Amino acid sequence: MSNSPIEKISTVWLGTEGPQIGVQGFGAMGISEFYGDTDEAAARDTLEATVEAGVTLIDTADVYGSGANEEFLAPFLAAHRDEVTLATKFAIERRADDPHYRAVNNSPAYIKKAVEASLRRLGIETIDLYYMHRRDPRTPLAESVGAMAELVQEGKVKYLGLSEVTGAELREAYAVHPIAALQSEWSVFSRDVERSAVPAAAELGVTFVPYSPLGRGFLTGAFADASKELSGGDFRQFQPRFTGDNAKTNAALLEPLHKIAAAHGATTAQIALAWVQQRAQVHGLTVVPIPGTRKRTRLLENTGATRITLSAEELALLEPIAGQVAGDRYPDMSSTSAAREQ
C-alpha cells in the first residue's frame, strides 16, 4: 500500500437535513458477487482508500451476497464508524435453495424484520441511510414509507432513501416522510431517470445517487466484445448491453469519450464519471455517484474524475449517446422505474 498522500474529494450535503458526505460515494456490491472472484485483501485495502480519499458514503444492500456484503463491511465500519455514512437497502428477497429466485417485498412486517437482520450483520446500532431497494406496487407506498419512518423514530435508521422510483412515487413518499436520497441508474448510457425522477428530486431537495455510473464497466472502454471477456461468475454475460451485436454497437458509441479523455489526459471512465458529476449543475440538484471497484488504483482514478470539468462542447458530444445504446439495462425491466412511467 502506498504511503503517498491522497487528495480528498469535496463534500456536499445529503438531502436537506443530512450530513456532509463526499461528492462521490462507493458501491460495495461487487466485493461479494456479480463480477467474478474477489481478492478480499485487495478489497479491504480499497475500503481503507475510500476514507483516505474522502469517499464517505458507502453503499451496500442485504441482497448482495445474501447478507455477505454487509458482513464483509462490518470490520471496516467498526474501525471507521464516525467517518462513514453507511447506506443499505431492503426489499429484494432471495432463497438459499434457488439461486435464481428474486421477489420484491415492501410490506411493513418484512421491513421491520429486514432492518434487524442488517443491523446485526453490519454490527452497528443505527443505519445512516436506509433505502427501499425496489418498489412493489402491491403494497401501498404510504404503508412502506410509514414503516420506514417508524424506524427513524425508533433510532434504528437516521435517513430514508428510495431506489428506482418515478418522480410521482418520490413525491408521494416525501409527503409521508422526508426522503434524503434517490438511487437509480444514471450514466452516459442510461438517462431514463431524467424524465421525471430527476426533476422531482431537484424540486424536493433530494440527493440523487447514481448507481452503475460507468455502465457496469462498459464506459471504461474495456469491453470491445464483452460477451467474450466475461467469466462464468460475472452477471454481465446475461445483460443485454453486453451481449452479441449489442456489445459491438455500444463499444462504437464510446468514440467521443475516447476523444475527450485524450484531450484531458484522463481515462474514459473518468470522463463518464465527470459527466455524471456535472449533472448537478445541469439539473440543479446534488449528485453523488457510487462507482464500485475492488482495486485501490481504480478507486483513486474514480475520485480523480471529481476534479475534471467538461466544456459545453464536450457535453454536447456526449449528449446523443444514450439514445443510440443497444439493449435494455436489464433482461427484465419490470422492477425499474422506467417500467412504471406514465
Side-chain angles (χ1 to χ4, degrees):
M1 183 169 66
S2 172
N3 292 320
S4 300
I6 295 176
E7 185 176 357
K8 287 185 177 291
I9 61 175
S10 61
T11 60
V12 292
W13 294 100
L14 175 65
T16 58
E17 301 176 351
Q20 280 190 299
I21 57 174
V23 72
Q24 185 180 111
F26 178 79
M29 180 185 79
I31 291 174
S32 295
E33 63 175 333
F34 302 113
Y35 293 104
D37 295 335
T38 292
D39 180 329
E40 290 196 3
R44 293 203 180 281
D45 182 45
T46 302
L47 284 173
E48 292 297 324
T50 64
V51 175
E52 296 167 30
V55 177
T56 56
L57 178 64
I58 308 299
D59 182 274
T60 183
D62 59 3
V63 72
Y64 302 158
S66 297
N69 199 252
E70 291 179 327
E71 292 173 345
F72 185 88
L73 289 174
F76 170 76
L77 293 172
H80 299 285
R81 191 66 189 99
D82 294 338
E83 301 167 271
V84 167
T85 297
L86 188 281
T88 192
K89 315 177 193 73
F90 73 88
I92 302 177
E93 294 183 287
R94 300 175 73 172
R95 289 178 179 169
D97 61 349
D98 183 354
H100 301 294
Y101 178 84
R102 300 286 190 281
V104 178
N105 192 336
N106 292 171
S107 71
Y110 178 78
I111 293 169
K112 293 177 181 179
K113 179 181 177 182
V115 75
E116 296 295 347
S118 286
L119 288 168
R120 182 178 66 253
R121 287 188 293 261
L122 290 161
I124 58 179
E125 296 181 354
T126 305
I127 293 166
D128 299 313
L129 176 59
Y130 200 41
Y131 285 103
M132 177 190 294
H133 203 164
R134 289 292 186 272
R135 169 88 176 96
D136 177 11
R138 295 172 300 178
T139 302
L141 189 56
E143 288 186 14
S144 302
V145 178
M148 295 168 72
E150 290 179 8
L151 301 180
V152 176
Q153 295 168 1
E154 294 168 2
K156 296 174 182 177
V157 170
K158 291 183 180 178
Y159 306 102
L160 302 185
L162 302 172
S163 179
E164 288 285 355
V165 298
T166 67
E169 289 168 338
L170 177 59
R171 290 188 178 92
E172 181 184 350
Y174 203 100
V176 177
H177 189 279
I179 303 298
L182 169 56
Q183 181 178 142
S184 288
E185 186 167 350
W186 197 9
S187 72
V188 172
F189 267 18
S190 300
R191 298 179 59 179
D192 53 84
V193 293
E194 294 176 22
R195 179 175 176 182
S196 73
V198 168
E203 172 191 321
L204 297 168
V206 174
T207 294
F208 207 104
V209 179
Y211 72 80
S212 297
L214 293 174
R216 297 179 178 81
F218 209 112
L219 291 166
T220 67
F223 299 99
D225 183 358
S227 63
K228 297 181 180 179
E229 301 278 347
L230 301 171
S231 67
D234 195 316
F235 87 125
R236 289 174 294 187
Q237 63 185 308
F238 306 111
Q239 301 301 299
R241 293 178 177 177
F242 283 81
T243 58
D245 289 340
N246 286 352
K248 296 176 182 178
T249 297
N250 295 333
L253 296 177
L254 301 183
E255 183 55 36
L257 277 87
H258 290 296
K259 179 180 178 180
I260 297 168
H264 283 267
T267 65
T268 57
Q270 288 177 315
I271 299 306
L273 286 171
W275 181 90
V276 175
Q277 299 280 180
Q278 282 184 241
R279 297 298 91 189
Q281 287 74 47
V282 172
H283 294 280
L285 78 169
T286 302
V287 177
V288 182
I290 50 169
T293 182
R294 293 170 287 187
K295 297 180 180 179
R296 170 181 282 258
T297 54
R298 294 296 187 195
L299 184 282
L300 300 181
E301 175 186 328
N302 291 344
T303 58
T306 67
R307 294 179 278 273
I308 296 173
T309 300
L310 303 179
S311 69
E313 292 77 12
E314 290 168 336
L315 292 174
L317 284 175
L318 302 176
E319 183 66 23
I321 292 177
Q324 301 168 1
V325 171
D328 283 332
R329 296 195 276 128
Y330 295 100
D332 179 359
M333 291 284 288
S334 62
S335 291
T336 68
S337 60
R340 298 189 305 279
E341 286 283 9
Q342 301 299 315

